[in-house]
Coordinates of all heavy atoms in Angstrom, one line a residue:
M124 N -26.3 -19.8 -16.5 CA -24.9 -20.3 -16.6 C -24.3 -20.5 -15.2 O -24.3 -19.6 -14.4 CB -24.1 -19.3 -17.4 CG -22.6 -19.8 -17.7 SD -22.5 -20.9 -19.0 CE -22.7 -19.8 -20.4
A125 N -23.9 -21.7 -15.0 CA -23.2 -22.0 -13.7 C -21.7 -22.3 -14.0 O -21.4 -23.0 -15.0 CB -23.9 -23.2 -13.0
F126 N -20.9 -21.9 -13.1 CA -19.4 -22.1 -13.2 C -18.9 -23.0 -12.1 O -19.3 -22.7 -10.9 CB -18.7 -20.8 -13.2 CG -19.1 -19.9 -14.3 CD1 -20.0 -18.9 -14.1 CD2 -18.6 -20.0 -15.6 CE1 -20.4 -18.0 -15.1 CE2 -19.0 -19.1 -16.6 CZ -19.9 -18.1 -16.3
T127 N -18.1 -24.0 -12.4 CA -17.6 -24.8 -11.4 C -16.0 -24.9 -11.5 O -15.5 -25.4 -12.4 CB -18.1 -26.3 -11.5 OG1 -19.5 -26.2 -11.5 CG2 -17.6 -27.2 -10.4
P128 N -15.3 -24.3 -10.5 CA -13.9 -24.3 -10.5 C -13.4 -25.7 -10.0 O -13.9 -26.2 -9.0 CB -13.5 -23.2 -9.6 CG -14.7 -23.0 -8.7 CD -15.9 -23.5 -9.4
I129 N -12.4 -26.2 -10.7 CA -11.9 -27.5 -10.4 C -10.3 -27.4 -10.3 O -9.7 -26.8 -11.2 CB -12.2 -28.6 -11.4 CG1 -13.8 -28.8 -11.4 CG2 -11.6 -29.9 -11.1 CD1 -14.3 -29.6 -12.6
V130 N -9.8 -27.8 -9.2 CA -8.3 -27.8 -9.0 C -7.7 -29.2 -9.2 O -8.2 -30.1 -8.5 CB -7.9 -27.2 -7.6 CG1 -6.4 -27.3 -7.4 CG2 -8.4 -25.8 -7.4
D131 N -6.7 -29.3 -10.0 CA -6.0 -30.6 -10.1 C -4.9 -30.5 -9.1 O -3.9 -29.9 -9.2 CB -5.3 -30.6 -11.5 CG -4.6 -32.0 -11.8 OD1 -4.3 -32.6 -10.8 OD2 -4.4 -32.3 -12.9
K132 N -5.1 -31.3 -8.0 CA -4.2 -31.2 -6.8 C -2.9 -31.9 -7.1 O -1.9 -31.6 -6.4 CB -4.9 -31.9 -5.6 CG -6.1 -31.1 -5.1 CD -6.4 -31.5 -3.7 CE -7.5 -30.5 -3.1 NZ -8.7 -30.5 -3.8
E133 N -2.8 -32.7 -8.2 CA -1.5 -33.2 -8.6 C -0.6 -32.1 -9.2 O 0.6 -32.1 -9.0 CB -1.7 -34.3 -9.7 CG -2.5 -35.5 -9.3 CD -1.7 -36.4 -8.4 OE1 -0.6 -36.7 -8.8 OE2 -2.2 -36.9 -7.4
K134 N -1.2 -31.1 -9.8 CA -0.5 -30.0 -10.4 C -0.3 -28.8 -9.5 O 0.7 -28.1 -9.6 CB -1.3 -29.5 -11.6 CG -1.3 -30.4 -12.8 CD -2.0 -29.7 -14.0 CE -2.0 -30.6 -15.2 NZ -2.8 -29.9 -16.3
C135 N -1.2 -28.6 -8.5 CA -1.1 -27.5 -7.6 C 0.2 -27.5 -6.8 O 0.6 -28.5 -6.2 CB -2.3 -27.5 -6.7 SG -2.2 -26.2 -5.4
V136 N 0.9 -26.3 -6.8 CA 2.2 -26.2 -6.1 C 2.0 -25.4 -4.8 O 3.0 -25.1 -4.1 CB 3.3 -25.6 -7.0 CG1 3.6 -26.5 -8.1 CG2 2.9 -24.2 -7.5
G137 N 0.7 -25.0 -4.5 CA 0.5 -24.4 -3.2 C 0.9 -22.9 -3.1 O 1.1 -22.4 -2.0
C138 N 0.9 -22.2 -4.2 CA 1.4 -20.8 -4.2 C 0.4 -19.8 -3.5 O 0.8 -18.7 -3.2 CB 1.8 -20.4 -5.6 SG 0.3 -20.2 -6.6
E139 N -0.8 -20.2 -3.5 CA -1.9 -19.4 -2.9 C -2.3 -18.2 -3.7 O -3.1 -17.4 -3.3 CB -1.6 -19.0 -1.4 CG -1.3 -20.1 -0.5 CD -1.2 -19.8 1.0 OE1 -1.8 -18.7 1.3 OE2 -0.6 -20.5 1.7
E140 N -1.8 -18.1 -4.9 CA -2.2 -17.0 -5.8 C -3.7 -17.0 -6.1 O -4.3 -15.9 -6.1 CB -1.4 -17.0 -7.1 CG 0.1 -16.8 -7.0 CD 0.4 -15.3 -6.7 OE1 -0.4 -14.5 -7.1 OE2 1.5 -15.1 -6.1
C141 N -4.3 -18.1 -6.3 CA -5.7 -18.2 -6.6 C -6.5 -17.7 -5.4 O -7.6 -17.1 -5.6 CB -6.1 -19.6 -7.0 SG -5.7 -20.9 -5.8
V142 N -6.1 -18.1 -4.2 CA -6.8 -17.7 -3.0 C -6.8 -16.1 -2.9 O -7.8 -15.5 -2.6 CB -6.1 -18.2 -1.7 CG1 -6.7 -17.7 -0.4 CG2 -6.0 -19.7 -1.7
D143 N -5.7 -15.5 -3.2 CA -5.5 -14.1 -3.2 C -6.4 -13.3 -4.2 O -6.9 -12.3 -4.0 CB -4.1 -13.6 -3.3 CG -3.3 -14.1 -2.1 OD1 -3.9 -14.3 -1.0 OD2 -2.0 -14.2 -2.2
V144 N -6.4 -13.9 -5.5 CA -7.0 -13.2 -6.6 C -8.5 -13.4 -6.7 O -9.2 -12.5 -7.2 CB -6.3 -13.7 -7.9 CG1 -6.9 -15.0 -8.4 CG2 -6.5 -12.6 -9.0
C145 N -9.1 -14.4 -6.2 CA -10.5 -14.7 -6.4 C -11.4 -13.7 -5.7 O -11.3 -13.6 -4.4 CB -10.8 -16.1 -5.9 SG -12.6 -16.5 -6.1
P146 N -12.2 -12.9 -6.4 CA -13.1 -12.0 -5.7 C -14.2 -12.6 -5.0 O -14.8 -11.9 -4.2 CB -13.6 -11.1 -6.9 CG -13.5 -12.0 -8.1 CD -12.3 -12.9 -7.9
A147 N -14.5 -13.9 -5.2 CA -15.6 -14.5 -4.5 C -15.1 -15.4 -3.4 O -16.0 -16.1 -2.8 CB -16.3 -15.4 -5.6
E148 N -13.8 -15.4 -3.1 CA -13.3 -16.2 -2.0 C -13.7 -17.7 -2.1 O -14.1 -18.3 -1.1 CB -13.7 -15.6 -0.6 CG -13.2 -14.2 -0.4 CD -13.5 -13.6 1.0 OE1 -14.0 -14.3 1.8 OE2 -13.1 -12.4 1.2
V149 N -13.5 -18.2 -3.3 CA -13.8 -19.6 -3.6 C -12.8 -20.5 -2.9 O -13.2 -21.6 -2.5 CB -13.9 -19.8 -5.1 CG1 -13.8 -21.3 -5.4 CG2 -15.2 -19.2 -5.6
F150 N -11.5 -20.1 -2.9 CA -10.5 -21.1 -2.5 C -10.0 -20.9 -1.1 O -9.9 -19.8 -0.6 CB -9.3 -20.9 -3.5 CG -9.6 -21.1 -4.9 CD1 -9.7 -19.9 -5.7 CD2 -9.7 -22.3 -5.5 CE1 -10.0 -20.1 -7.1 CE2 -10.0 -22.4 -6.8 CZ -10.2 -21.3 -7.6
E151 N -9.7 -22.1 -0.5 CA -9.0 -22.1 0.8 C -7.9 -23.1 0.6 O -8.0 -24.1 -0.2 CB -9.9 -22.5 1.9 CG -10.9 -21.5 2.3 CD -11.8 -21.9 3.5 OE1 -11.4 -22.9 4.2 OE2 -12.7 -21.2 3.8
M152 N -6.8 -22.9 1.4 CA -5.7 -23.9 1.3 C -6.0 -25.0 2.3 O -6.4 -24.8 3.5 CB -4.4 -23.3 1.7 CG -4.0 -22.1 0.8 SD -3.9 -22.6 -1.0 CE -2.5 -23.7 -0.9
V153 N -6.0 -26.3 1.8 CA -6.2 -27.5 2.6 C -5.0 -28.4 2.4 O -4.8 -28.9 1.3 CB -7.5 -28.2 2.3 CG1 -7.7 -29.4 3.1 CG2 -8.7 -27.2 2.5
D154 N -4.3 -28.7 3.5 CA -3.1 -29.5 3.4 C -2.1 -29.1 2.3 O -1.6 -29.9 1.6 CB -3.5 -31.0 3.2 CG -4.2 -31.6 4.3 OD1 -4.0 -31.1 5.5 OD2 -5.1 -32.5 4.1
G155 N -1.9 -27.7 2.2 CA -1.0 -27.2 1.3 C -1.4 -27.1 -0.2 O -0.6 -26.7 -1.0
K156 N -2.7 -27.5 -0.4 CA -3.2 -27.4 -1.8 C -4.4 -26.5 -1.8 O -5.2 -26.5 -0.8 CB -3.6 -28.8 -2.3 CG -2.5 -29.8 -2.2 CD -1.5 -29.6 -3.3 CE -0.4 -30.8 -3.3 NZ 0.5 -30.6 -4.4
S157 N -4.7 -25.9 -2.9 CA -5.9 -25.1 -3.1 C -7.1 -26.0 -3.2 O -7.1 -26.9 -4.0 CB -5.8 -24.2 -4.3 OG -7.0 -23.5 -4.5
D158 N -8.2 -25.6 -2.5 CA -9.4 -26.4 -2.5 C -10.6 -25.4 -2.8 O -10.7 -24.4 -2.0 CB -9.6 -27.1 -1.2 CG -10.6 -28.2 -1.2 OD1 -11.4 -28.3 -2.2 OD2 -10.7 -29.0 -0.3
P159 N -11.4 -25.6 -3.8 CA -12.5 -24.7 -4.1 C -13.7 -25.0 -3.2 O -14.7 -25.4 -3.6 CB -12.8 -25.0 -5.6 CG -12.4 -26.4 -5.8 CD -11.2 -26.6 -4.9
V160 N -13.5 -24.6 -1.9 CA -14.5 -25.0 -0.9 C -15.8 -24.2 -1.1 O -16.9 -24.7 -0.6 CB -14.0 -24.8 0.5 CG1 -12.9 -25.7 0.9 CG2 -13.5 -23.3 0.7
N161 N -15.7 -23.0 -1.7 CA -16.9 -22.2 -1.9 C -17.2 -22.2 -3.5 O -17.5 -21.1 -4.0 CB -16.8 -20.8 -1.4 CG -16.6 -20.8 0.1 OD1 -17.3 -21.5 0.9 ND2 -15.6 -20.1 0.6
A162 N -17.1 -23.3 -4.1 CA -17.3 -23.4 -5.6 C -18.5 -22.7 -6.1 O -18.6 -22.2 -7.2 CB -17.2 -24.8 -6.0
E163 N -19.6 -22.8 -5.3 CA -20.9 -22.3 -5.8 C -20.9 -20.8 -5.9 O -21.8 -20.2 -6.5 CB -22.0 -22.8 -4.8 CG -22.0 -22.2 -3.4 CD -21.0 -22.8 -2.5 OE1 -20.3 -23.8 -2.9 OE2 -21.0 -22.4 -1.3
E164 N -19.9 -20.1 -5.3 CA -19.8 -18.7 -5.4 C -19.1 -18.2 -6.6 O -19.1 -17.0 -6.9 CB -19.0 -18.1 -4.2 CG -19.7 -18.5 -2.8 CD -21.0 -17.8 -2.6 OE1 -21.2 -16.7 -3.2 OE2 -21.9 -18.3 -1.9
C165 N -18.5 -19.1 -7.4 CA -17.8 -18.7 -8.6 C -18.6 -18.0 -9.6 O -19.7 -18.4 -9.9 CB -17.2 -20.0 -9.2 SG -16.3 -19.7 -10.8
M166 N -18.1 -16.9 -10.2 CA -18.8 -16.2 -11.2 C -18.1 -16.2 -12.5 O -18.4 -15.5 -13.5 CB -19.0 -14.7 -10.7 CG -17.8 -14.1 -10.1 SD -18.4 -12.7 -9.0 CE -16.9 -12.3 -8.1
G167 N -17.1 -17.1 -12.7 CA -16.5 -17.4 -14.0 C -15.6 -16.3 -14.5 O -15.4 -16.3 -15.7
C168 N -15.0 -15.5 -13.7 CA -14.1 -14.4 -14.2 C -12.8 -15.0 -14.7 O -12.1 -14.3 -15.5 CB -13.8 -13.4 -13.1 SG -12.8 -14.1 -11.7
E169 N -12.4 -16.2 -14.4 CA -11.2 -16.9 -14.8 C -9.9 -16.2 -14.3 O -8.8 -16.5 -14.8 CB -11.2 -17.0 -16.4 CG -12.4 -17.8 -16.9 CD -12.1 -18.9 -17.8 OE1 -10.9 -19.0 -18.3 OE2 -13.0 -19.7 -18.1
S170 N -10.0 -15.3 -13.4 CA -8.8 -14.7 -12.8 C -7.9 -15.8 -12.2 O -6.6 -15.7 -12.3 CB -9.1 -13.7 -11.7 OG -9.8 -12.6 -12.3
C171 N -8.5 -16.8 -11.6 CA -7.7 -17.8 -11.0 C -6.9 -18.6 -12.0 O -5.8 -19.0 -11.8 CB -8.6 -18.7 -10.1 SG -9.9 -19.4 -11.1
V172 N -7.6 -18.9 -13.1 CA -7.0 -19.6 -14.2 C -5.7 -18.9 -14.8 O -4.7 -19.4 -15.0 CB -8.0 -19.9 -15.4 CG1 -7.3 -20.6 -16.6 CG2 -9.1 -20.7 -14.9
E173 N -5.9 -17.6 -14.9 CA -4.8 -16.7 -15.5 C -3.7 -16.6 -14.5 O -2.5 -16.6 -15.0 CB -5.4 -15.3 -15.8 CG -6.3 -15.3 -16.9 CD -7.1 -14.0 -17.0 OE1 -6.7 -13.0 -16.4 OE2 -8.2 -14.0 -17.7
V174 N -3.9 -16.6 -13.2 CA -2.8 -16.4 -12.3 C -2.1 -17.7 -11.9 O -1.0 -17.7 -11.4 CB -3.4 -15.7 -11.0 CG1 -4.1 -16.7 -10.1 CG2 -2.3 -15.0 -10.3
C175 N -2.7 -18.8 -12.2 CA -2.1 -20.1 -11.8 C -1.0 -20.6 -12.8 O -1.3 -21.0 -13.9 CB -3.2 -21.2 -11.7 SG -2.5 -22.8 -11.2
E176 N 0.2 -20.5 -12.3 CA 1.3 -20.8 -13.2 C 1.5 -22.3 -13.4 O 2.2 -22.7 -14.3 CB 2.6 -20.2 -12.6 CG 2.6 -18.7 -12.7 CD 3.9 -18.1 -12.2 OE1 4.9 -18.8 -11.9 OE2 4.0 -16.8 -12.2
A177 N 0.8 -23.1 -12.6 CA 0.9 -24.5 -12.7 C -0.2 -25.1 -13.6 O -0.3 -26.3 -13.8 CB 0.8 -25.2 -11.3
D178 N -1.1 -24.2 -14.1 CA -2.2 -24.6 -15.0 C -3.0 -25.7 -14.3 O -3.4 -26.7 -14.9 CB -1.7 -25.2 -16.3 CG -1.2 -24.0 -17.2 OD1 -1.7 -22.9 -17.1 OD2 -0.3 -24.3 -18.1
A179 N -3.3 -25.5 -13.0 CA -4.0 -26.5 -12.2 C -5.5 -26.2 -12.1 O -6.2 -27.1 -11.5 CB -3.4 -26.5 -10.8
I180 N -6.0 -25.1 -12.6 CA -7.4 -24.8 -12.4 C -8.1 -24.8 -13.8 O -7.6 -24.1 -14.7 CB -7.5 -23.4 -11.7 CG1 -6.8 -23.3 -10.4 CG2 -9.0 -23.1 -11.5 CD1 -6.8 -22.0 -9.8
I181 N -9.3 -25.4 -13.8 CA -10.2 -25.2 -14.9 C -11.5 -24.8 -14.4 O -11.9 -25.0 -13.2 CB -10.3 -26.5 -15.8 CG1 -10.9 -27.6 -14.9 CG2 -9.0 -26.9 -16.4 CD1 -11.3 -28.8 -15.8
I182 N -12.2 -24.0 -15.2 CA -13.6 -23.6 -14.9 C -14.6 -24.3 -15.8 O -14.5 -24.1 -17.0 CB -13.8 -22.1 -15.0 CG1 -12.7 -21.3 -14.2 CG2 -15.2 -21.7 -14.6 CD1 -12.8 -21.5 -12.7
E183 N -15.4 -25.2 -15.3 CA -16.4 -25.9 -16.1 C -17.6 -25.0 -16.1 O -18.0 -24.4 -15.1 CB -16.8 -27.2 -15.4 CG -15.9 -28.3 -15.8 CD -16.4 -29.7 -15.4 OE1 -17.5 -29.8 -14.7 OE2 -15.8 -30.7 -15.7
E184 N -18.2 -24.9 -17.3 CA -19.4 -24.1 -17.5 C -20.6 -25.1 -17.9 O -20.4 -26.0 -18.7 CB -19.3 -23.1 -18.6 CG -18.2 -22.1 -18.4 CD -18.0 -21.1 -19.5 OE1 -19.0 -20.9 -20.3 OE2 -16.9 -20.6 -19.7
D185 N -21.7 -24.8 -17.3 CA -22.9 -25.6 -17.7 C -24.2 -24.8 -17.5 O -24.1 -23.6 -17.1 CB -23.0 -26.9 -17.0 CG -23.0 -26.8 -15.5 OD1 -23.6 -25.8 -15.0 OD2 -22.4 -27.6 -14.8
Ligands
SF4_115 S1 -2.7 -20.7 -8.1 FE1 -2.6 -22.8 -8.9 S2 -0.7 -23.6 -8.0 FE2 -1.2 -21.8 -6.9 S3 -2.4 -22.5 -5.1 FE3 -3.8 -22.0 -6.7 S4 -4.2 -23.9 -7.8 FE4 -2.4 -24.2 -6.6
SF4_116 S1 -13.2 -17.9 -12.0 FE1 -13.1 -16.0 -10.8 S2 -14.8 -16.3 -9.3 FE2 -14.4 -18.3 -10.1 S3 -13.0 -19.3 -8.8 FE3 -11.8 -18.3 -10.4 S4 -11.2 -16.3 -9.6 FE4 -12.9 -17.1 -8.3

């Protein structure tokens, strides 16, 4: 099972909560928006999805 975090930059409000909560350090802020630069490190815990009040993150599973 592989997990791919995807950020909808139209929805992201730049709160950085996902950066803080992710145990795998997947996200970095780029131009004020969250970017899953280390997406391959995602382990599918969905903590970022739960913390994002803008509903800007989805985790794809394949
Ligand atoms: S938690 Fe959501 S709104 Fe906040 S920086 Fe991350 S993706 Fe953007
Ligand atoms: S699902 Fe968990 S490991 Fe994956 S990006 Fe979100 S917080 Fe990080």
Side-chain angles (χ1 to χ4, degrees):
M124 183 80 76
F126 301 97
T127 306
I129 297 169
V130 175
D131 184 338
K132 292 197 171 63
E133 300 281 317
K134 290 183 178 177
C135 175
V136 296
C138 69
E139 303 192 23
E140 292 288 333
C141 56
V142 178
D143 292 341
V144 79
C145 178
E148 299 185 1
V149 163
F150 303 102
E151 287 182 12
M152 299 306 290
V153 177
D154 295 332
K156 305 283 186 176
S157 174
D158 197 344
V160 293
N161 298 314
E163 69 279 2
E164 300 294 330
C165 177
M166 45 202 166
C168 69
E169 302 229 348
S170 294
C171 56
V172 175
E173 290 167 20
V174 79
C175 181
E176 293 186 1
D178 289 330
I180 306 173
I181 59 168
I182 307 297
E183 276 192 356
E184 298 179 26
D185 57 38

